[in-house]
Amino acid sequence: MEVAIAGAGIAGLASALSLARSLPDSHIRVYERSAKISTLGAGIQLGPNAFAALERISPDLSELLKSVAILPECVVMRDFSTGKTLTTVKLGPEIAQAFGQPYGTLHRATLLQALMAACRAQSNIAIEFGVDFQAASLTPARLNASLIVVADGLWSSARQEMLGDVDTRLSAIAFRAFQFFSPGDFFSPEVQVWVGPGVHVVCYPVNAFDSLNTGTVLNVAMFVSGNRMRVLDRTLPKTERVSWATGVSAQEMLAAIPKPNEALRDLLANVVQASAWRVYDQAALPVWHREKTVLVGDAAHAMLPHLAQGAAFALEDAAELGLQMQTNSSVPAVALENFYAARAPRCWRAQNAARRYQKIYHASGLLRFARNSVLSLPLLSPAFGGLSWVYGFK
Ligand SMILES: Cc1cc2nc3c(=O)[nH]c(=O)nc-3n(C[C@H](O)[C@H](O)[C@H](O)COP(=O)(O)OP(=O)(O)OC[C@H]3O[C@@H](n4cnc5c(N)ncnc54)[C@H](O)[C@@H]3O)c2cc1C
């Protein structure tokens, strides 16, 4: 079977690997518009569901990534302006025991490079860089393929051809940066979430990717919504729809937010390699496949990053697509219908939950008071921050 894949991001590479292993007689070609894999971006959190999906795709790859990931012990949510701890959610051995897989943090480039190396080791996968999947020269390859996997991200042009425009909305400006640890610095293996009106900051350690200094760095992501977002949107350079990054300074990051508590202000004042991104919310798509073509990853179900699950769901897509195509390889249309039925409701639920999390994190006034009151009563707080349904991917 000939398979053509648009995009060599996490969804495209993971799908290639999953299909290559489930259909050993297939020939898979991945077409990537950029000249090389993108090391843009920063840290990424992978929940137990991401490792469960990786395990299904390639147990070796899953083990490799677990060995380079940092396994944080907990998520600690603190108030942005007072610094007071609002709640602690255990990760570490507790989450590994509950879901059979750990919770880890990585540099995004580490995940992409590991996926790339695993694809390169498969004789039935070829990856072509610098090729736009929509280019006319690729028409024969598209026509000859028995399966086309569209994995070209939120602004997918292959999806545009299939479904026309989809509803997207600017929901936040994200600032992403790092802080280096000096030798002897104490670093705490936890995910910190600082929540305030119209803003939240997420920090966690990751093992550095090789373009940075060696050792462990603190990954910092700050999200701004509401009026401050609208002001930033007007000030940041306009780019063609794509949520492309703009370099900014630590001072510009601090100027974009209300006054943080002292510890957080010190942390933000010392970040390096900061950049600003526009974060878009995508409406749920009722159609993911047509004839032999299927959407996966952000092209199918881009979600706000507040559950830290977009990449994990792309890995889940890849695992499920491999399984369905193995079961129904002679009738791809049936495999794709089963894939859609297995994946879409879960992805729509995650898209909704991510929207809700932004409202909860960015709450002000009475809603903020209610949130902090509920969080102060551990008996009312659901296990694993209410995300057991996400982490329990089978
Ligand atoms: C601030 C932030 C923090 C995040 N944190 C997390 C996290 O902690 N955990 C998590 O799981 N997820 C996280 N995510 C989400 C995650 O990064 C995305 O969901 C994931 O990268 C989507 O992967 P993808 O392969 O579907 O799309 P993309 O990464 O967008 O890849 C698409 C690829 O297709 C290529 N392409 C585009 N058009 C064409 C074309 N016409 N022809 C050929 N190639 C093309 C692109 O160059 C790119 O390589 C975060 C996102 C953001 C913005």
Side-chain angles (χ1 to χ4, degrees):
M1 171 183 289
E2 300 293 321
V3 180
I5 300 185
I10 294 165
L13 292 176
S15 298
L17 190 59
S18 179
L19 290 165
R21 292 177 149 232
S22 346
L23 306 169
D25 294 334
S26 60
H27 296 105
I28 296 164
R29 293 199 95 80
V30 185
Y31 301 96
E32 167 57 47
R33 188 169 57 184
S34 311
K36 56 186 176 70
I37 58 162
S38 163
T39 53
L40 270 178
I44 204 157
Q45 303 177 62
L46 292 183
N49 53 316
F51 287 110
L54 278 164
E55 187 99 16
R56 258 165 62 176
I57 297 167
S58 160
D60 291 350
L61 180 60
S62 175
E63 283 314 306
L64 172 78
L65 289 169
K66 278 182 226 173
S67 73
V68 294
I70 286 180
L71 308 181
E73 284 164 11
C74 55
V75 179
V76 185
M77 189 190 285
R78 300 192 177 94
D79 189 277
F80 181 89
S81 36
T82 65
K84 189 177 161 221
T85 297
L86 300 175
T87 190
T88 300
V89 175
K90 293 224 167 87
L91 301 174
E94 284 83 356
I95 203 164
Q97 201 176 8
F99 302 103
Q101 296 287 347
Y103 193 104
T105 62
L106 288 172
H107 196 291
R108 190 170 165 274
T110 307
L111 171 60
L112 270 171
Q113 287 190 334
L115 281 166
M116 179 65 110
C119 284
R120 291 231 190 271
Q122 287 287 144
S123 58
N124 54 347
I125 299 180
I127 305 175
E128 293 189 25
F129 285 99
V131 182
D132 192 312
F133 192 69
Q134 297 306 100
S137 57
L138 275 194
T139 307
R142 287 198 298 267
L143 288 176
N144 288 340
S146 309
L147 173 67
I148 294 178
V149 180
V150 172
D152 55 354
L154 170 66
W155 302 112
S156 168
S157 43
R159 181 194 62 210
Q160 158 81 23
E161 190 180 282
M162 185 169 135
L163 299 180
D165 281 341
V166 303
D167 217 7
T168 50
R169 192 169 63 86
L170 180 68
S171 291
I173 301 290
F175 291 85
R176 303 168 98 176
F178 291 105
Q179 196 190 68
F180 294 126
F181 293 104
S182 306
D185 271 2
F186 169 76
F187 92 84
S188 140
E190 62 183 26
V191 179
Q192 309 170 34
V193 184
W194 305 79
V195 294
V199 61
H200 81 282
V201 180
V202 182
C203 310
Y204 50 84
V206 290
N207 283 323
F209 167 64
D210 47 33
S211 71
L212 297 166
N213 291 342
T214 51
T216 305
V217 295
L218 189 71
N219 178 75
V220 179
M222 181 173 94
F223 299 88
V224 179
S225 66
N227 282 338
R228 288 174 193 274
M229 171 192 81
R230 283 184 275 280
V231 172
L232 286 165
D233 182 40
R234 284 197 294 274
T235 3
L236 289 171
K238 280 278 172 231
T239 47
E240 286 178 30
R241 290 178 79 206
V242 181
S243 54
W244 221 227
T246 305
V248 292
S249 66
Q251 283 62 38
E252 284 171 293
M253 273 177 77
L254 279 170
I257 51 172
K259 192 166 172 246
N261 69 79
E262 212 176 306
L264 183 56
R265 203 212 45 215
D266 286 352
L267 192 159
L268 294 174
N270 288 303
V271 296
V272 293
Q273 298 187 1
S275 55
W277 308 58
R278 289 184 175 84
V279 177
Y280 292 88
D281 192 8
Q282 181 190 287
L285 300 180
V287 179
W288 286 17
H289 62 102
R290 189 161 287 164
E291 295 163 5
K292 61 182 183 180
T293 303
V294 64
L295 310 177
V296 296
D298 276 9
H301 49 68
M303 60 187 78
L304 294 178
H306 312 313
L307 306 183
Q309 282 292 330
F313 272 52
L315 296 171
E316 290 184 8
D317 285 351
E320 188 66 34
L321 188 60
L323 180 73
Q324 296 297 346
M325 285 301 298
Q326 189 175 45
T327 318
N328 273 301
S329 57
S330 53
V331 258
V334 172
L336 299 189
E337 184 55 38
N338 292 346
F339 168 77
Y340 171 75
R343 296 293 303 146
R346 176 169 165 83
C347 295
W348 295 332
R349 186 175 176 192
Q351 287 177 305
N352 275 330
R355 271 175 217 126
R356 205 165 52 246
Y357 268 56
Q358 176 159 312
K359 286 198 182 116
I360 295 170
Y361 285 168
H362 291 201
S364 58
L366 267 184
L367 189 56
R368 176 178 179 226
F369 176 75
R371 176 198 66 203
N372 293 359
S373 307
V374 169
L375 290 175
S376 69
L377 301 167
L379 280 180
L380 287 186
S381 301
F384 300 110
L387 292 180
S388 294
W389 66 273
V390 170
Y391 300 145
F393 170 73
K394 292 279 179 290

